[in-house]
């Protein structure tokens, strides 16, 4: 990050008082809320939440080199003599205020991406496609919430020209706060699906929550959204802001669209109307990933990146770990690890792509599906509906795991022979044992579930590779 001074901090945050060891010109070179990551000349932000109070770790922060800290506990408990202390009402809010200040100081083009599915892949692809022209910084991992996003901004190098941010949420108001902190130039919604419907009530509610991304979009900013999503189109009609709106999709009515899509197990080919003569290749499976790539190419076009360069960068793209990650199993089988997250939409999409893959010599297609969470009282129906994407003609064996998957098992017993369907409600070890006895060298095995279902330990057992 660019160096800041104590004076900058006081300009950025709504403080109550402060106590200084030296003058206002003292510099800080990093911002951390984890005391273990503190280096010399760091601002320590002690966050409070759950069972932990970051204020308890201030001495460790000081020992590791922190020279400034925010403080929201009583002044009597604050460290004395060794560190500058800025007293604030809420340390998280102060960090968010500082992030907004720093964003203005560096002044990059800010691209913000949200959506029920595809936001991490779209973020990574967009950042990759822009690197041929710009100095780009992006959200690392899944740092996309009220803590992670401002932290990402504060980690941005001072040379950053384009900042690509991922914005996640579970409830109304969360995207609004993130958007206003980031002060966006380009806003993108990838998809309105069913994720977090437990908290937002309906797809209409999800769309309204996602549209909060426009709250921090600058006047005249760019908004990119799916052409085939009437919920967004209807809400957009009510906007009084001046926006430059563009659509993307597979339909030629979209402003940016893809066509001539061909899938293989480890790459996908397609063309776009941006330059219909150029064949695009992304080194990942799935026609739904073409949509993510299309977002990246559309943003590149809008930001004047030469199309050929953007397409080349995408051809070098690598997915974030645990998202459509091909691994070699202990038996030699191809293991497709997609166990980081799941929604009904994303699970249907990956099943469709797997079904389209040509069978290799004597190889079988095996799917291992774990519970999809946060679907509320409609969870049973959503799980049952997954049966439409599971055809015995293209999928050989199905393994289901978790209490919610019982609903899908009930449906599949009438579609699959008994020996080709397996259900386990609780035990990861029983599932692992069954798969270890079944999987052969030429098989293709897909594992997908919500993260907390922890199919990653099954991936580790089948591959011998630690996953996180």
């Amino acid at each position: 990050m660019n160096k800041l001074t104590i004076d900058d901090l006081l300009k950025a945050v709504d403080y109550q008082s402060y106590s200084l060891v030296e003058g206002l010109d003292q510099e800080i070179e990093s911002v951390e809320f984890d005391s273990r990551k503190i280096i010399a000349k760091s601002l320590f932000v002690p966050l409070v939440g759950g069972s932990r109070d970051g204020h308890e770790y201030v001495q460790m922060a000081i020992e590791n080199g922190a020279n400034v800290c925010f403080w929201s506990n009583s002044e009597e408990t604050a460290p004395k003599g060794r560190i500058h202390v800025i007293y604030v009402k809420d340390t998280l809010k102060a960090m968010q205020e500082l992030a907004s200040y720093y964003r203005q100081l560096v002044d990059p083009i800010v691209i913000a991406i949200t959506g029920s599915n595809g936001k991490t892949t779209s973020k990574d692809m967009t950042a990759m496609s822009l690197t041929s022209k710009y100095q780009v910084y992006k959200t690392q991992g899944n740092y996309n919430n009220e803590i992670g996003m401002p932290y990402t901004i504060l980690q941005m190098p001072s040379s950053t020209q384009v900042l690509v941010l991922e914005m996640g949420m579970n409830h109304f108001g969360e995207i609004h706060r993130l958007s206003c902190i980031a002060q966006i130039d380009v806003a993108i919604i990838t998809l309105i699906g069913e994720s977090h419907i437990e908290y937002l009530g309906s797809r209409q509610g999800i769309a309204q929550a996602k549209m909060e991304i426009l709250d921090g979009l600058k006047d005249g900013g760019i908004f990119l959204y799916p052409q085939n999503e009437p919920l967004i189109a209807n809400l957009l009609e009510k906007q009084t802001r001046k926006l430059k709106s563009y659509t993307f999709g597979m339909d030629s009515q979209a402003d940016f669209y893809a066509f001539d899509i061909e899938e293989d197990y480890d790459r996908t080919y397609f063309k776009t109307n941006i330059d219909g003569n150029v064949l695009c290749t992304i080194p990942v499976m799935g026609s739904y990933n073409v949509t993510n790539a299309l977002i990246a190419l559309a943003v590149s076009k809008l930001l004047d990146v030469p199309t050929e360069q953007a397409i080349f960068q995408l051809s070098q793209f690598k997915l974030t770990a645990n998202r459509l990650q091909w691994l070699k199993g202990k038996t030699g089988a191809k293991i497709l690890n997609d166990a980081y997250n799941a929604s009904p939409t994303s699970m249907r999409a990956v099943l469709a792509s797997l079904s389209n893959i040509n069978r290799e010599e004597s190889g079988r297609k095996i799917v291992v599906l774990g519970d999809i969470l946060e679907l509320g009282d409609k969870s049973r129906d959503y799980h049952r509906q997954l049966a439409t994407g599971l055809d015995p003609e293209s999928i050989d064996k199905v393994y289901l795991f978790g209490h919610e998957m019982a609903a899908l098992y009930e449906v599949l017993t009438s579609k699959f022979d008994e020996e080709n369907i397996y259900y386990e409600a609780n035990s990861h070890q029983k599932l692992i044992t069954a798969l270890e006895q079944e999987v052969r060298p030429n098989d293709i095995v897909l594992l997908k579930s919500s993260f907390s279902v922890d199919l990653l330990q099954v991936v580790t057992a089948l591959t011998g590779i630690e996953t996180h």
Side-chain angles (χ1 to χ4, degrees):
M1 65 174 286
N2 195 35
K3 291 181 180 179
L4 297 173
T5 64
I6 305 295
D7 190 45
D8 286 318
L9 302 187
L10 297 177
K11 290 176 182 176
V13 306
D14 183 16
Y15 66 91
Q16 296 173 316
S17 61
Y18 58 87
S19 60
L20 301 182
V21 179
E22 298 180 61
L24 295 175
D25 60 349
Q26 293 298 298
E27 292 182 340
I28 65 166
E29 297 181 4
S30 72
V31 178
E32 296 290 349
F33 57 85
D34 185 339
S35 60
R36 296 167 297 184
K37 294 183 179 181
I38 291 289
I39 60 175
K41 295 186 177 181
S42 290
L43 164 66
F44 175 54
V45 182
L47 299 178
V48 180
S51 60
R52 293 208 166 184
D53 184 346
H55 294 83
E56 297 173 3
Y57 300 90
V58 68
Q59 291 304 321
M60 179 185 291
I62 293 171
E63 291 169 6
N64 288 340
N67 62 340
V68 193
C69 71
F70 291 147
W71 197 264
S72 61
N73 282 359
S74 66
E75 292 192 20
E76 290 75 18
T77 62
K80 302 295 191 297
R82 297 178 59 191
I83 190 171
H84 306 280
V85 181
I86 299 176
Y87 298 95
V88 296
K89 186 175 181 180
D90 183 326
T91 54
L92 174 58
K93 184 179 179 183
M95 186 173 80
Q96 293 170 343
E97 291 169 341
L98 180 59
S100 190
Y101 176 89
Y102 185 65
R103 178 258 177 272
Q104 293 180 62
L105 187 67
V106 178
D107 196 26
I109 298 169
V110 176
I111 300 168
I113 302 175
T114 192
S116 299
N117 301 111
K119 53 185 176 291
T120 298
T121 302
S122 295
K123 174 259 298 183
D124 290 339
M125 285 185 169
T126 298
M128 189 74 178
S129 68
L130 294 171
T131 53
S132 63
K133 181 174 180 177
Y134 298 99
Q135 292 290 320
V136 181
Y137 190 73
K138 66 177 182 178
T139 298
Q140 305 298 302
N142 64 337
Y143 271 40
N144 62 12
N145 63 7
E146 61 179 0
I147 297 172
M149 196 211 73
Y151 179 77
T152 296
I153 294 174
L154 289 165
Q155 298 303 303
M156 169 178 55
S158 59
S159 59
T160 301
Q161 296 172 303
V162 176
L163 176 63
V164 186
L165 296 173
E166 178 182 336
M167 295 185 176
M169 62 92 197
N170 296 320
H171 299 86
F172 290 111
E174 292 175 348
I175 294 290
H176 166 80
R177 287 192 292 274
L178 298 180
S179 177
C180 291
I181 292 167
Q183 306 160 65
I184 302 166
D185 297 285
V186 181
I188 301 164
I189 296 178
T190 62
L191 176 73
I192 302 300
E194 307 88 357
S195 299
H196 314 304
I197 202 167
E198 178 180 5
Y199 307 117
L200 299 168
S202 65
R203 288 188 72 251
Q204 175 70 34
I206 293 168
Q208 290 174 336
K210 298 297 185 186
M211 286 290 280
E212 292 174 8
I213 198 169
L214 300 184
D215 295 351
L217 183 65
K218 296 177 181 177
D219 285 341
I222 293 170
F223 177 42
L224 190 61
Y225 66 97
Q227 180 269 337
N228 64 344
E229 186 45 82
L231 289 174
I232 295 179
N234 292 339
L235 290 169
L236 189 58
E237 289 180 359
K238 301 176 183 178
Q239 280 285 326
T240 58
R241 304 268 310 285
K242 292 181 180 179
L243 308 174
K244 298 175 183 175
S245 298
Y246 301 90
T247 59
F248 62 87
M250 303 301 170
D251 193 308
S252 60
Q253 295 180 4
D255 295 307
F256 300 97
Y257 63 89
F259 59 96
D260 289 353
I261 299 170
E262 296 183 14
E263 296 182 68
D264 202 347
Y265 84 94
D266 63 349
R267 63 193 59 248
T268 307
Y269 308 92
F270 62 98
K271 293 181 179 179
T272 76
N273 68 317
I274 299 171
D275 188 338
N277 296 316
V278 180
L279 180 66
C280 306
T281 304
I282 49 175
V284 290
M285 183 190 78
S287 58
Y288 57 96
N289 274 313
V290 173
T291 300
N292 300 324
L294 190 58
I295 289 170
L297 293 174
V299 173
S300 296
K301 178 68 174 178
L302 293 168
L303 296 186
D304 299 320
V305 176
T307 301
E308 296 84 356
Q309 294 180 18
I311 290 172
F312 174 77
Q313 292 300 123
L314 280 182
S315 72
Q316 310 300 306
F317 170 77
K318 291 183 180 180
L319 275 170
T320 299
N322 304 323
R323 288 176 169 86
L324 283 182
Q325 180 184 30
W326 285 105
L327 302 170
K328 185 176 181 179
K330 292 177 179 178
T331 65
K334 290 184 174 69
I335 309 296
L336 182 55
N337 173 18
D338 199 19
Y340 187 82
N341 59 19
S343 69
T345 299
S346 66
M347 195 168 279
R348 285 192 298 270
V350 74
L351 287 172
S353 291
L354 183 67
S355 297
N356 289 334
I357 295 175
N358 292 326
R359 277 187 172 85
E360 299 189 351
E361 296 177 12
S362 72
R364 302 172 300 166
K365 297 177 187 176
I366 300 172
V367 300
V368 185
L369 306 179
D371 284 351
I372 306 171
L373 305 180
E374 297 185 5
L375 295 178
D377 57 9
K378 297 181 180 180
S379 179
R380 181 177 175 82
D381 290 338
Y382 281 124
H383 282 82
R384 287 176 62 89
Q385 290 164 12
L386 293 172
T388 59
L390 291 161
D391 187 342
E393 294 297 317
S394 55
I395 302 294
D396 295 284
K397 289 183 176 286
V398 180
Y399 287 73
L400 302 176
F401 181 78
H403 295 282
E404 300 300 319
M405 278 295 169
L408 177 57
Y409 179 72
E410 292 172 4
V411 180
L412 293 184
T413 52
S414 63
K415 293 184 68 173
F416 284 78
D417 294 337
E418 183 179 355
E419 65 270 18
N420 292 330
I421 184 168
Y422 174 95
Y423 173 67
E424 169 56 42
N426 299 298
S427 173
H428 288 87
Q429 188 53 55
K430 287 182 180 179
L431 175 62
I432 289 168
T433 299
L435 286 166
E436 287 178 334
Q437 293 173 351
E438 180 64 47
V439 176
R440 302 171 188 167
N442 291 326
D443 290 341
I444 294 175
V445 184
L446 164 71
L447 297 99
K448 187 168 181 65
S449 70
S450 291
F451 180 74
S452 58
V453 176
D454 197 16
L455 282 190
L456 289 178
Q457 68 171 281
V458 183
V459 174
T460 297
L462 294 180
T463 63
I465 301 170
E466 286 295 329
T467 54
H468 303 282

